[in-house]
Amino acid sequence: MAADLIWAVQIYLGLGAVAALGFLGIGLDRIDENARGAWVFRPFLIPGILLIWPLVLFRWWQLERADTEDTEGQGRFRPPLLWQPRLALLLAVAVPVMILGAMVLRQDGPNEAPAQLIEPAQ
Amino acid sequence: MSVKYTPVQWNPNKWVYDAVLLAIVAIYISVFLRLGAAEADVSRPIDGAVLRMRAFGTCAFFMLSAILCIGPLARLDDRFLPILYNRRHFGVLTAIVAWTHATYVYNWYFNFSQINRLEALLSSNTAFGQILGFPIEALGVFAFVILLILAATSHDFWLSFLGAPLWKRLHLLIYLAYGALVAHVALGYLQDTENPTFALLFSAAALGVVGLHVAAWQVGRMRSAKGEWVAVCAPGDIAEGRARIVQLGPKERVAIFRYDGNRFSAISNACAHQNGPLGEGRILDGCVTCPWHGFQYRMADGCAPAPFTEKVPTYDLRLEDGQLMVQRHANPPGTAVDPLAVTGMEATP
Ligand code: FES
């Protein structure tokens, strides 16, 4: 199981390396004018591309197709962060539960009495 | 307008910020290494490698807690905004500290395993069905991968390439990572220490994070429920050539500028380039100048002067009972709005 997982991760990162080559070599100049002629910062993008290359390819394709700078319109000034309060409130419930639970369930408990090896005398 | 990408954006403020962060991390680690051994259960003394591993692990946890506190603090009080702007460097440093922790775990606990160490790390405990003795490694790996993704996509390029909405959604993963980390520590280190110091610090940090989020959420709800027009302040309270920033919604800020002595205009506080804080910019040549990379916008219509094409939304203003009021809903980017001239204030040419 673990071996398969590691193998899958290696394949994923390997494909990511190919994507990184293609994107940094060709794609970047085509879709982002601020990157044209800027080479020093490119190695900094490699880890990100390795990790989320499917998303990178998707955005590349989207930007090639849209062919316009402004694909977001007014939305960018009001980013739809509906999920932030939801996640925060979820965390607000989960964190106390986890901490309390872990304290209560402690393997050897904070108030554990020493083990009685010998039966106390009557 | 365009700004070429550079590997890391540093300015004097960020140098100081990063230096302070590094110093705090160094102090924390050395204090932990000195005092931490005493915290362990006397019947199960720990050695140097485990101690270092815990020092970096707990450090990363506290750093992430601090990072998560910055957002709600900035929403509760504008004075925390400067910490917010450098949060990305903070995040990258956290990922590095977490990486060090993971390296210690990997090189210590699994050093003598027969099989590949990574494989051993993943397969040594697969008791996913139980709570105590749950494979906390899996929780740690999960959070670590998220931290890596966020750190790796923190460069300015990613914000513009993915677009603000997608980038922000991606970075919301931080909440999942934090939840996993709380479980990782609660079922891991917390089970081992007999001394309450760490338990107290850990609970305080985690509860502080969620407490601040709930508070900011409450305040945000109260603030955004104020109707069509929102009171700002008396016109005289804004210094000439400066702005007052007002929170309109949970994620929406408007900057109300005073210029020419008695004129007022309101534009979005978020720069069209990378959401820099326009309200902290100066007015140069009749334009607001973004403090981050210097994009400029005309006060009257939120447009960058030709030949540039960037636009930000504008807002209507009016005066009521000696108070400036700003319209809750923004005009589309680039809409011209006549500046509000307040009579009775002295105009300066
Ligand atoms: S100029 Fe870059 S964020 Fe404003």
Side-chain angles (χ1 to χ4, degrees), chain B residues 85 89 291:
Chain B
Y85 300 138
H89 287 202

Side-chain angles (χ1 to χ4, degrees), chain B residues 113-269:
Chain B
S113 74
Q114 302 290 317
I115 47 175
N116 176 310
R117 269 187 259 171
L118 208 54
E119 204 175 319
L121 174 84
L122 291 171
S123 58
S124 60
N125 180 356
T126 50
F128 286 95
Q130 62 190 46
I131 296 184
L132 282 184
F134 186 88
I136 57 162
E137 296 85 0
L139 293 168
V141 169
F142 173 77
F144 182 52
V145 169
I146 292 182
L147 286 190
L148 284 185
I149 293 180
L150 300 200
T153 57
S154 63
H155 192 276
D156 272 354
F157 160 80
W158 291 99
L159 181 55
S160 103
F161 171 62
L162 296 176
L166 183 57
W167 188 84
K168 294 200 170 186
R169 280 203 192 103
L170 184 67
H171 282 238
L172 282 182
L173 286 176
I174 193 82
Y175 288 108
L176 297 188
Y178 193 69
L181 273 187
V182 170
H184 175 77
V185 181
L187 296 174
Y189 183 32
L190 198 61
Q191 300 290 333
D192 184 50
T193 161
E194 291 286 293
N195 187 309
T197 318
F198 176 74
L200 285 177
L201 287 176
F202 165 71
S203 317
L207 296 176
V209 167
V210 297
L212 276 173
H213 272 87
V214 172
W217 173 73
Q218 262 299 341
V219 169
R221 265 191 355 160
M222 275 155 44
R223 280 191 197 153
S224 13
K226 271 196 234 153
E228 282 295 285
W229 291 86
V230 180
V232 181
C233 58
D237 292 349
I238 305 180
E240 166 68 19
R242 305 303 294 268
R244 175 67 56 105
I245 300 168
V246 174
Q247 183 103 28
L248 288 180
K251 286 281 158 179
E252 190 180 357
R253 290 194 184 92
V254 54
I256 297 115
F257 280 91
R258 172 177 173 192
Y259 53 105
D260 295 349
N262 67 344
R263 286 169 184 276
F264 295 85
S265 287
I267 60 173
S268 162
N269 189 47

Side-chain angles (χ1 to χ4, degrees), chain A residues 76, chain B residues 1 3 9 156 270-278 289-297:
Chain A
R76 62 169 300 141
Chain B
M1 246 167 272
V3 176
Q9 243 177 33
D156 272 354
C271 178
H273 179 221
Q274 275 166 357
N275 296 354
L278 290 179
T289 307
C290 177
W292 282 7
H293 318 97
F295 280 35
Q296 293 194 309
Y297 304 92

Side-chain angles (χ1 to χ4, degrees), chain B residues 105-120:
Chain B
V105 174
Y106 175 74
N107 287 335
W108 176 250
Y109 283 123
F110 299 98
N111 205 12
F112 303 108
S113 74
Q114 302 290 317
I115 47 175
N116 176 310
R117 269 187 259 171
L118 208 54
E119 204 175 319

Side-chain angles (χ1 to χ4, degrees), chain A residues 32 34 36 59 84 105-106, chain B residues 2 5 132 161 175 190:
Chain A
D32 193 334
N34 291 338
R36 277 171 215 149
R59 265 309 269 180
Q84 182 180 25
L105 286 175
R106 268 175 77 99
Chain B
S2 80
Y5 293 117
L132 282 184
F161 171 62
Y175 288 108
L190 198 61

